[in-house]
Amino acid sequence: MKKPLAAALLLACLPFAASARDSLGSFTYVEGGVQRVSVDFGTPGSDTLDFNGAGVRGAIELSDNFYVYGGYAWARNGDLVEDIDARQTQAGLGYRHTIFDNADLIAEAGFQHTQLDATGYRDNLDAARVSVGLRGALSNNFEGWVKASYVDGSDYDGEFSGTLGAQFIINETWGVVGEIEAGDLTSQYLIGVRASF
């Protein structure tokens, strides 16, 4: 169900390419913001746990086609008797291929590490993550991206997710970003500020 939604969003972005600005913004940036992560355990009668927190992430262009990316996020759930802290680190390599003057096909492959902490409890979850999508300039001050991702590893059963994000560009350096990622078990909402270089 998530994959057809991501494909529809991807196709919906294409007609805007003709009216958008001539090129995409930089793939070298750093951003920080607040986030909310909801975890649905997928069993009848189980509650959804919501984690509120913040994170930083960024990317560095290595060439016209390749970039590296990474991020660190932390959040806390206080709904239970014991607070649960969650921390996640991501890093990987990205590839971009220009399909229009103002739209790139993007593909990413990386690693993510998640640590869960509570009193007397700690768990570490490691996985590989691959994504493919499109990033495009929809107007002079607005960029959007859509991605489909798959996460799998010894600590995961494998999860697909779809991501829809946007940046409102204030000037050549600063922008406001928002992103929604929805998967089989988790959903994540983020809003923040980006500095591009």
Side-chain angles (χ1 to χ4, degrees), residues 16-122:
F16 293 102
S19 62
R21 68 180 189 276
D22 290 337
S23 62
L24 282 173
S26 175
F27 272 73
T28 298
Y29 66 87
V30 62
E31 68 183 34
V34 295
Q35 67 177 14
R36 182 180 184 97
V37 180
S38 297
V39 181
D40 182 356
F41 291 97
T43 57
S46 64
D47 291 330
T48 298
L49 292 182
D50 294 321
F51 292 79
N52 297 308
V56 294
R57 61 186 184 180
I60 300 172
E61 288 184 61
L62 301 177
S63 69
D64 289 342
N65 295 105
F66 290 96
Y67 59 94
V68 292
Y69 68 90
Y72 179 75
W74 58 95
R76 171 173 288 180
N77 174 279
D79 296 335
L80 304 175
V81 176
E82 298 287 346
D83 290 346
I84 303 173
D85 292 322
R87 296 173 181 83
Q88 186 174 84
T89 305
Q90 288 190 8
L93 178 68
Y95 173 78
R96 61 186 283 201
H97 176 74
T98 301
I99 54 176
F100 299 107
D101 287 341
N102 50 12
D104 284 354
L105 178 69
I106 55 175
E108 298 173 343
F111 172 81
Q112 74 178 34
H113 171 77
T114 304
Q115 180 177 306
L116 302 173
D117 283 311
T119 303
Y121 171 82
R122 173 174 286 182

Side-chain angles (χ1 to χ4, degrees), residues 130-148:
V130 293
S131 304
V132 64
L134 180 74
R135 176 182 169 185
L138 305 179
S139 72
N140 287 333
N141 295 96
F142 190 75
E143 282 187 2
W145 55 91
V146 60
K147 293 192 292 187

Side-chain angles (χ1 to χ4, degrees), residues 171-186:
N171 57 38
E172 288 186 5
T173 302
W174 296 103
V176 177
V177 295
E179 189 175 273
I180 299 171
E181 181 176 0
D184 297 329
L185 299 177
T186 60

